[in-house]
Amino acid sequence: MSLLQEVDAIEQESIKPLDECQKLIEHGVSTADDLLREGESAVHGDVGQHNEKLCSFTKKALHIQLDSLPEIPSLVDVPCLSAQLDDCLLTILKNQIFRHGTVASRPPVQLEEFVEKPGGILVRWCKVDDDFIPQDYRLQYRKSTASHFEDVYVGSETEFIVLHIDPNVDYQFRVCARGDGRQEWSPWSVPQIGHTTLVPHEWTAGLEGYSLSSRRNIALRNDSQSCGVLYSKAPTYFCGQTLTFRIETVGQPDRRDSLGVCVEQQNGYDSLQRDKAVCISTNGAVFVNGKEMTNQLPAVTSGSTVTFDMEVVQLGPSSNEGGNFKLRVTISSNNREVVFDWVLDQCCVSLYFGCSFSYPGWKVLVF
């Protein structure tokens, strides 16, 4: 900015005599042009006015110096701007370029896998450059119809669940990385398209005692005295999937609190600690069909994630015809898990999920 201001000052000072010279030349040309038209009019005019016009033209021509020009500055007196850089500065710049500049035949990280989730997509990526040491990753996404990408994750993990995904809509994803000790991000990976066909999990709206988010995937136990189980809107949990509850905020715990899944909605209960349901209490106790297991998980805290995984275990050839139906259940929380078999008297293709809290302040996200 300082150097450009110097250039402006030199230009403004040096242009003055050139502007004055230009004005004098333009005035002389204009005067000569007017005299030329007057002479043409005198030559081609009427005979009666011929002598009068010719006399006037002659007088003006004698007073105008058509062969004179103002003094024009010589080229050596006119500034000729130039800029120079010292050789030492070029050496410094070259060293910085060699230090910070890199050339790569391909990005150091690439997208690896998309896993469909209810109302979301689990995105995994991997490092493809053995010499690259990543410090952080940066994941972006956009709808295929959108023009701009937006950040959805920045961190050291190599997978992330992107929520609030509309079912059966294509989304574009890309990822980059930042090298260890570096400030700049690497080139972006090749964009890839992912989508989910699974509808998002939603809580049932309208139950007194719980307030829901706009997408109905977050439930907050409010101050209402009403107490009961908040169920899912529909049986959207299928065996083979992972159901995740994330505790956003906590309230006062109670032994009757519950997070879990069940075969059907049953009103009149204040907890999922009942028949045809499996759940975990906020103190970490695990209940199967209303009975507490000896194995216990850590107590639920703010930021805790509780996951349910189930797979079908057939019991005999008649299991699909009303015989015993067994599910292998894995409940995980705070890096610990319990595994058990849940025996039902009917085949269950899909299950409801639910929660219950005796005191206000609990907020839980389901996905």
Side-chain angles (χ1 to χ4, degrees):
M1 290 296 296
S2 177
L3 291 174
L4 289 174
Q5 289 174 358
E6 288 187 34
V7 170
D8 291 340
I10 294 174
E11 285 184 341
Q12 292 174 5
E13 183 65 28
S14 304
I15 203 72
K16 290 179 181 178
L18 296 177
D19 282 340
E20 294 172 357
C21 181
Q22 180 176 351
K23 289 178 182 178
L24 290 174
I25 293 175
E26 290 175 347
H27 177 71
V29 170
S30 176
T31 302
D33 191 48
D34 291 341
L35 183 63
L36 179 61
R37 283 196 296 270
E38 186 174 343
E40 290 177 344
S41 176
V43 171
H44 301 292
D46 297 335
V47 176
Q49 299 177 346
H50 180 75
N51 292 334
E52 182 180 346
K53 288 184 177 182
L54 198 59
C55 181
S56 173
F57 169 78
T58 304
K59 289 181 179 179
K60 289 182 179 180
L62 291 174
H63 290 87
I64 296 176
Q65 295 178 341
L66 295 177
D67 57 347
S68 66
L69 286 173
E71 183 179 0
I72 300 175
S74 62
L75 288 178
V76 295
D77 295 329
V78 178
C80 180
L81 293 173
S82 62
Q84 289 178 298
L85 293 176
D86 291 340
D87 290 341
C88 64
L89 178 59
L90 295 177
T91 302
I92 294 173
L93 289 175
K94 183 176 69 174
N95 292 336
Q96 292 296 322
I97 291 172
F98 278 123
R99 179 181 176 186
H100 296 284
T102 58
V103 175
S105 60
R106 58 178 179 172
V109 291
Q110 292 286 4
L111 295 167
E112 183 178 32
E113 184 182 15
F114 297 104
V115 180
E116 295 186 35
K117 297 289 183 179
I121 301 175
L122 172 61
V123 184
R124 293 192 175 104
W125 55 90
C126 62
K127 185 182 72 165
V128 295
D129 185 349
D130 295 335
D131 297 329
F132 184 78
I133 302 176
Q135 173 181 302
D136 290 308
Y137 298 99
R138 180 183 180 187
L139 178 66
Q140 290 189 336
Y141 84 123
R142 69 179 181 187
K143 279 187 177 180
S144 293
T145 56
S147 57
H148 298 291
F149 282 92
E150 59 182 272
D151 286 341
V152 70
Y153 173 77
V154 175
S156 59
E157 300 295 329
T158 55
E159 66 178 38
F160 183 75
I161 296 180
V162 183
L163 298 177
H164 309 320
I165 296 292
D166 296 327
N168 302 307
V169 174
D170 286 341
Y171 289 81
Q172 274 194 329
F173 296 86
R174 65 181 185 180
V175 67
C176 66
R178 181 162 49 199
D180 190 24
R182 305 293 289 266
Q183 295 296 321
E184 71 281 358
W185 293 99
S186 73
W188 290 104
S189 67
V190 177
Q192 295 190 37
I193 293 177
H195 72 279
T196 182
T197 58
L198 305 176
V199 297
H201 292 315
E202 293 184 12
W203 299 104
T204 298
L207 180 64
E208 187 179 358
Y210 293 91
S211 304
L212 305 184
S213 63
S214 59
R215 289 182 175 265
R216 298 180 181 178
N217 60 343
I218 299 177
L220 170 67
R221 180 68 169 91
N222 56 36
D223 295 330
S224 173
Q225 296 299 319
S226 176
C227 190
V229 177
L230 176 65
Y231 292 103
S232 59
K233 181 180 178 181
T236 53
Y237 174 62
F238 293 84
C239 294
Q241 298 179 358
T242 297
L243 178 69
T244 303
F245 299 99
R246 189 169 71 206
I247 307 301
E248 304 291 318
T249 60
V250 298
Q252 180 180 337
D254 185 88
R255 62 177 304 274
R256 294 291 294 167
D257 294 341
S258 61
L259 284 168
V261 298
C262 56
V263 176
E264 57 191 8
Q265 296 179 345
Q266 292 185 9
N267 297 323
Y269 290 89
D270 63 353
S271 175
L272 283 174
Q273 299 173 18
R274 60 167 176 81
D275 190 36
K276 296 183 179 181
V278 295
C279 66
I280 177 176
S281 179
T282 52
N283 63 7
V286 177
F287 292 84
V288 181
N289 292 333
K291 297 180 180 179
E292 184 175 355
M293 295 183 60
T294 55
N295 293 336
Q296 186 166 330
L297 293 170
V300 174
T301 59
S302 179
S304 291
T305 298
V306 180
T307 62
F308 287 75
D309 290 274
M310 299 189 185
E311 58 178 331
V312 177
V313 180
Q314 299 288 346
L315 283 187
S318 62
S319 59
N320 288 329
E321 301 174 0
N324 287 336
F325 186 76
K326 185 162 65 175
L327 296 175
R328 181 71 44 82
V329 181
T330 303
I331 305 178
S332 302
S333 177
N334 293 331
N335 297 320
R336 289 183 57 188
E337 65 180 30
V338 294
V339 182
F340 56 90
D341 289 340
W342 182 23
V343 179
L344 300 171
D345 58 3
Q346 65 189 70
C347 177
C348 296
V349 178
S350 59
L351 298 165
Y352 290 88
F353 58 85
C355 70
S356 66
F357 301 102
S358 300
Y359 297 99
W362 293 92
K363 182 192 289 186
V364 57
L365 164 69
V366 62
F367 59 91

